[in-house]
Amino acid sequence: MNWLERIRRLRELGVLGMNERNVRCILDLNPRSRFPVVDRKQEFHELCREIGVPTPDIYGVIPTHSALRRLDNLLSHHNEFVIKPNRGAAGRGVLVIVGVLTPGHLPREEGLEGREKSVLPVANAPTPLSDVTFLRYNGRRLGMAELLQHVSSIISGLYSLGGHSDQAIIQQRVVSDPVLQRLSFQGTADVRVVCYKTVPVMAMLRLPTSQSGGRANLHQGAVGAGVDLATGKTFRAVLRNHDMVRHPDTKESVLGFKIPHWPDILDMARRVSRAVGLGYLGVDIVLDQHRGPLVLEANARPGLAIQIANGEGLLHRFAAIDSREISGFGTRDS
Amino acid sequence: MTKTRLTIITALVLTMVFVALALGRNAAERLAERDQRTRPVWEVTLEANGTFLYADDWITTVRPPAFRQQHIFNERFISKQLIHRKCKPRIPGRNKIIWRAPELAGGPLRFQARCTFCCVLSCQPTPAMNRSTAEIDAETLPGIYWTTFRNTAANREIAAMGLKLVPSERPAIERVKVFYDYVSKLGSHPPAAQGDSSAEKKRGREPSPYAVDTTVARASGAVSCLRQGWGDSRAKSRLLVALCRSQGIPARLVMGLELTEGQELVQPHYWMEAWVEGQWLPMCTTNAYFGKDELPANYLILQLGDFKIVRGSSMDPEYSFRVRRPLRGLLMSGQEAFQPGQGDNPSSILERFWQKVTLSNLEPAEQDLTRFLLLFPLGALIVSIFRTLIGLQTFGTFAPALLGMAFLDLKALPWGLFIFLLTILVGWGMRHFVDRYHLLLVPRISVVYTSIILFLIVMIVVTSNYGIPTTKYLRLFPLVILTHLVERFWTIEVEDGPVASFKTLLGTIVVAVTVCLALSPLAVKNWMFRYPETIFLILAAQLLLGRYTGYRLAELYRFGDLLEVHGRQKGTT
């Protein structure tokens, strides 16, 4: 196939290119002033709470080094939590704690394996935190001093790409729905819904692999499975831009999987994109074991791999929405 | 869509501005060209040959001042063996270039150094020329350099002659005229009998056909001229300078060339200037010209003051001057830019306008800088093309362009690339090492930066011990951007894996090499310098790229699977 032929057929399929995404979607539809809302996790969390969209709880924010004193108090009530930088990117600086071990209740090493990690002896009694050991998701242990060091690094801006000083967020740990856990390798699977002018236009299920290191980013090697918007069923999957059927690590077929709570997920995406005020938005939704769908974060520059995962271009769907003549954001759509 | 339309309209306007400016410039140049038949452009080359014996040997060569009505442009200093440096003149009117050997790879070094420049005499002075005229022709007060007169026995002889010629009560102008008349009457050549015993013959050495034998310097001094009663243009001018200074009149020797058609090899010519009635009064005793009005327009001034034309630290190199009229074709191909106004009456407003906005009106040093700066927009355009049309990933946005400009020329490109890669790898290793310490961003980058500099210095020292001057191949300064590249390289490696980071490195190199290849031809540099309005055209192209919504070349393959699957589905359903 020569270039012209390729261009012609991509146009036919309505595939959105990077240049067109930048010009038509991001520059023309996403006002720069609204970016901080989605880039800063704390602000986004508050927005979600205002509009009543469920989102992982934030236990506390450590904005400065002096606030590190409060960490003791914050952590004493929780046995599972995630510490992440407010403005981090691509999963850097995220620390997942799945258990708190008091000196008296050291579990045996075998107990740490598998997924039961999260159900561990818990410090109910007010043990001084300086004595406890934190158990990380990958099975390593962490002393209080090391934890403090990590939070301090986050605040100093070690993980924020610009090198600006940052804030550390202590967030509820999302435990994936068991149906999704079966499909993915480590990490948390999520559903990415792309909204165009507040209407969900395309969705995919992102499953971490060993290659992606537990992260759900497609360009880092996660599996992306196209989801039928009407039914919530996966019908096609890609790994590194190529077609595939079975998850490389769990060997489970990822096709034909029906995502639970599908109508809720679409509704949440719609509400978030309306509230955020960005015309081209990717909403990442995780399925918590107990709480059901939770909006984890939103992305003002969602990538184009979703088209490969769905085997279809975005442009035709954009055109359909444009032709419905929706004027501006926040208006009704059916 | 309106934004796209706005962009297109702006781009069109910019293109039209470019076309209008370029046409206007061309028209004005054609006007100016008509004048060039009467006021020609000259190309002068000073070539020095010699041998360096010691590692710290150096030579200096004269560099013409751009002042009064002589315009100098397109200066080039070329030597395969030596590196040159421009000096700030300590004495006004005495510009020079210092040449040194980059390294002495054992044994004496034979060298050839060539200074070439173009000049136009008697043109309308540019602001830069006016500034240096003001400096060189400033008021001369007693005690400054031009009045120095040592009270030695030989000089007393000259002073006595000066007093004998005219009493010191007479006004300066009158005395100078008397001295001038006296020196003018002296012969230029020795009487036939004396010719055999001239200094050159005594030393039993055939002087080379064109080189000026510097060993006769003593014979062309003021005193010997006075005693012998004859002298060449230098000796006579020196005598006149000495006579003036002995009577307290500031005077200076002028060295230059008489530019005449059809004569390629020229000897330096000497005349002098005396400070009389608040201005410098030029006099040529050899050809009998007295005063500004008599001095012909073809006298090019190379140096003011009695200094050697080419001076060496341990030897006096041979040198020669060549003069030619550059071919008209050469002029048109952008070898040189538009000339500043010719003659006294710039013929039209258009022409006067172009005189003002021509880059070759700048001082030579500023011309060099402008030449270099003008290349940046082109580099940026090339990067934009690679990123938006082809979709190549690079580290940073303009780092590849800067990198491309860091490679000095094509011959050195492989070597420059090698140094670049080596430095990146060292920086990358250092970055991995530093990662253990969990340093904060800015101090961490400083550490990497310092270690890169350390590596570069070590490399310069090591290679120069092996006789390879690294600085010949690479402008080292822009390599500072490497720090940034190393950081990006590392981030991409950590986040997306080593394959992605090496791919990006490859993309960066491809862009850098393309920039280097595209910007290195002299024609490109000359075009940009001659038509700086091309920037508007580049701007238009950049604007259009900014609203380009087509696929990137890389995307045609990225979405390849999509095409195949779709084709399959089409077939089955």
Side-chain angles (χ1 to χ4, degrees), chain A residues 120-131:
Chain A
L120 279 166
V122 153
N124 279 330
T127 323
L129 272 176
S130 49
D131 291 344

Side-chain angles (χ1 to χ4, degrees), chain B residues 74-90:
Chain B
N74 219 357
E75 276 190 296
R76 280 154 292 161
F77 307 98
I78 303 156
S79 173
K80 279 198 184 115
Q81 299 85 15
L82 307 184
I83 49 174
H84 72 272
R85 191 163 60 83
K86 291 157 194 163
C87 293
K88 280 247 177 275
R90 258 175 298 174

Side-chain angles (χ1 to χ4, degrees), chain B residues 179-494:
Chain B
F179 296 149
Y180 163 78
D181 286 337
Y182 169 75
V183 178
S184 295
K185 281 192 198 98
L186 297 178
S188 286
H189 302 284
Q194 277 178 323
D196 296 328
S197 61
S198 76
E200 306 160 40
K201 293 278 166 70
K202 256 188 225 161
R203 280 160 201 263
R205 180 152 83 89
E206 264 316 296
S208 71
Y210 55 83
V212 176
D213 194 337
T214 46
T215 55
V216 299
R218 205 164 288 126
S220 53
V223 183
S224 57
C225 178
L226 183 71
R227 289 178 186 157
Q228 289 167 346
W230 65 270
D232 58 10
S233 72
R234 175 160 53 166
K236 285 168 75 174
S237 303
R238 277 177 170 170
L239 176 58
L240 187 51
V241 167
L243 278 170
C244 290
R245 287 188 186 173
S246 73
Q247 303 305 310
I249 302 164
R252 61 189 179 190
L253 192 74
V254 182
M255 191 277 290
L257 301 175
E258 273 185 87
L259 304 176
T260 36
E261 192 97 35
Q263 200 182 345
E264 207 200 344
L265 219 53
V266 256
Q267 297 290 344
H269 183 69
Y270 294 83
W271 64 100
M272 58 82 72
E273 289 175 351
W275 181 257
V276 181
E277 289 172 354
Q279 58 176 322
W280 287 103
L281 182 74
M283 284 165 269
C284 174
T285 52
T286 320
N287 299 333
Y289 298 122
F290 185 82
K292 232 173 236 164
D293 303 328
E294 282 186 25
L295 207 71
N298 66 339
Y299 270 37
L300 165 73
I301 297 174
L302 287 177
Q303 180 172 270
L304 295 155
D306 197 350
F307 308 103
K308 280 178 181 167
I309 296 164
V310 177
R311 194 164 80 108
S313 56
S314 61
M315 41 58 239
D316 277 318
E318 292 186 340
Y319 61 88
S320 62
F321 284 103
R322 281 164 195 280
V323 174
R324 67 190 188 99
R325 296 277 302 273
L327 297 173
R328 202 169 154 276
L330 222 57
L331 284 174
M332 292 312 287
S333 72
Q335 263 293 315
E336 72 181 55
F338 180 60
Q339 295 314 308
Q342 317 271 321
D344 331 293
N345 54 331
S347 41
S348 67
I349 300 167
L350 186 71
E351 204 180 336
R352 247 174 297 167
F353 170 73
W354 285 113
Q355 284 163 21
K356 289 271 188 305
V357 297
T358 296
L359 292 181
S360 53
N361 270 357
L362 299 170
E363 280 168 34
E366 284 170 356
Q367 287 185 27
D368 278 356
L369 181 68
T370 322
R371 244 169 226 275
F372 186 59
L373 283 181
L374 277 170
L375 294 179
F376 279 84
L378 263 180
L381 180 65
I382 291 171
V383 173
S384 309
I385 287 171
F386 267 103
R387 299 273 297 226
T388 45
L389 292 189
I390 298 175
L392 214 58
Q393 295 301 313
T394 57
F395 296 122
T397 321
F398 293 115
L402 283 179
L403 197 66
M405 297 177 71
F407 301 133
L408 277 181
D409 61 88
L410 287 186
K411 273 176 282 171
L413 188 60
W415 230 96
L417 270 181
F418 173 70
I419 295 173
F420 164 67
L421 278 178
L422 208 62
T423 320
I424 277 277
L425 286 180
V426 166
W428 173 69
M430 196 61 206
R431 179 66 184 81
H432 268 268
F433 180 69
V434 165
D435 195 47
R436 285 186 213 174
Y437 296 94
H438 274 220
L439 302 178
L440 291 178
L441 184 93
V442 176
R444 181 179 72 216
I445 289 180
S446 315
V447 168
V448 175
Y449 169 84
T450 307
S451 56
I452 283 179
I453 298 291
L454 186 70
F455 168 72
L456 285 177
I457 288 171
V458 167
M459 194 185 58
I460 291 169
V461 171
V462 169
T463 52
S464 75
N465 272 341
Y466 285 98
I468 310 160
T470 314
T471 40
K472 251 189 196 169
Y473 299 109
L474 213 54
R475 286 194 190 95
L476 283 179
F477 187 66
L479 283 190
V480 172
I481 54 168
L482 284 178
T483 321
H484 174 69
L485 295 193
V486 167
E487 190 65 26
R488 292 287 303 147
F489 187 85
W490 188 83
T491 313
I492 293 179
E493 194 201 335
V494 167

